[in-house]
Amino acid sequence: MRSAAGWRFDGLGDPMTPQETDLASLIDRSGNGRPVIPFEGYSMDDMNNRDHQLLVQSPESIFSINKADITREERLDGDRVRLWVTAGARALRVSPCVLNSSSPFTAVREYAPPVAPDGSPGAPVREDMENIPPPPSVYVPGAPTAARVATPPLSEVGERYNARCSGGDSYENNCAHFLSDAFIRAGYNELLPPNDHIAARCPSKRPIRARNMWSWFKAKAVRTSRVVEENTGWWAVFQIDGYWGGHVVLLDSDNMKWYGTAWHSDHNQYLYQW
């Protein structure tokens, strides 16, 4: 037997040749004939899946890996580890997201590890696409351009106003309820969830508070007025006096007709056009 200076031993008394000490050779052997891929980070058991182990590479990269696909684990400096994962294994990746009333807590997707050292591809990717932003549009000469989406005129809202909600429900105060129903049926789908201006809805998802509609009016407006003037077109109107909730109504100033549950001439008037 040669001295330790001439041979390396594997701990079992059998000498390891220089070929066997080569890192690429060790990678090939550690997966029982299948290529493996190293992942480094902080690791712990996945409390949501006993068969999985979590690996945190960064706040943006958190993986849940099936323990059956982990061929080896190495302790690095501090609490960091290196996991050797079988190439082509499928795992879960947790993506951070901003929490709001309409978003999921996390977007969990399956992912394929990088291409293995031998060039073999990873597993097919399947993702929950509704939670993942798409790539930006790329324009090249001759490609189609984005269509301009026309905003329905307020006159179409007036044509569809019928003093009721499509869902058939009703409240003591229906000014916003019935008017928002007409807006939505006229094509203003932006009033459907999610909409940051709307805090309360009926079972059919129609906004039901005048102040919510007022907030939306102000965000859309390109022209405003505090007085009613004839022959100035159609206006979305918010009226308020002693009743804190206020009132919304649609005005056709060319014909001096209004569409809604009431018209309050003695209230403060806030008119909006777009």
Side-chain angles (χ1 to χ4, degrees):
M1 181 181 296
R2 298 183 60 180
S3 67
W7 291 93
R8 294 287 301 280
F9 292 85
D10 61 6
L12 300 177
D14 297 326
M16 298 177 68
T17 67
Q19 171 64 27
E20 290 176 316
T21 61
D22 180 74
L23 179 60
S25 177
L26 289 175
I27 292 174
D28 289 340
R29 293 170 66 241
S30 62
N32 293 323
R34 296 182 60 188
V36 292
I37 303 168
F39 290 84
E40 295 183 9
Y42 299 92
S43 183
M44 62 178 292
D45 287 338
D46 189 338
M47 303 304 292
N48 294 309
N49 189 334
R50 294 182 179 179
D51 296 328
H52 280 227
Q53 188 167 338
L54 287 178
L55 180 73
V56 180
Q57 289 186 321
S58 72
E60 301 296 325
S61 298
I62 304 172
F63 305 110
S64 177
I65 304 170
N66 194 319
K67 293 178 180 178
D69 294 317
I70 301 174
T71 65
R72 187 155 53 97
E73 179 175 330
E74 297 178 37
R75 291 289 167 181
L76 305 176
D77 294 337
D79 296 326
R80 291 178 61 82
V81 301
R82 178 185 291 122
L83 301 182
W84 296 86
V85 182
T86 303
R90 304 183 74 178
L92 298 175
R93 180 171 63 197
V94 182
S95 297
C97 67
V98 177
L99 298 184
N100 57 54
S101 60
S102 62
S103 71
F105 286 103
T106 55
V108 178
R109 68 190 89 172
E110 294 185 21
Y111 84 105
V115 174
D118 67 351
S120 61
V125 177
R126 183 187 67 79
E127 299 181 335
D128 296 328
M129 299 309 297
E130 67 274 13
N131 297 322
I132 303 168
S137 298
V138 176
Y139 178 78
V140 297
T145 57
R148 181 177 179 182
V149 180
T151 300
L154 292 176
S155 58
E156 290 191 15
V157 181
E159 291 177 4
R160 286 163 176 77
Y161 185 84
N162 55 14
R164 64 182 180 86
C165 173
S166 297
D169 48 327
S170 180
Y171 300 89
E172 290 296 322
N173 185 351
N174 285 302
C175 68
H177 187 194
F178 294 164
L179 190 62
S180 66
D181 177 84
F183 266 104
I184 291 171
R185 288 188 293 105
Y188 284 89
N189 292 329
E190 63 194 87
L191 279 174
L192 293 170
N195 184 305
D196 293 339
H197 299 279
I198 308 304
R201 298 178 180 275
C202 75
S204 297
K205 309 302 182 184
R206 272 48 178 165
I208 56 175
R209 292 181 182 168
R211 280 183 172 269
N212 289 177
M213 293 294 288
W214 184 25
S215 175
W216 180 67
F217 290 167
K218 289 187 286 187
K220 288 195 68 65
V222 297
R223 188 178 301 104
T224 65
S225 178
R226 290 296 308 276
V227 296
V228 175
E229 296 182 77
E230 293 188 40
N231 299 313
T232 55
W234 287 75
W235 299 84
V237 184
F238 178 74
Q239 302 174 326
I240 190 168
D241 193 7
Y243 179 63
W244 182 87
H247 176 74
V248 286
V249 62
L250 196 65
L251 171 67
D252 172 10
S253 70
D254 296 338
N255 296 292
M256 290 304 287
K257 295 184 180 296
W258 54 266
Y259 298 81
T261 57
W263 178 270
H264 301 293
S265 296
D266 57 337
H267 285 20
N268 290 308
Q269 310 289 325
Y270 298 85
L271 288 75
Y272 302 91
Q273 276 186 340
W274 52 82

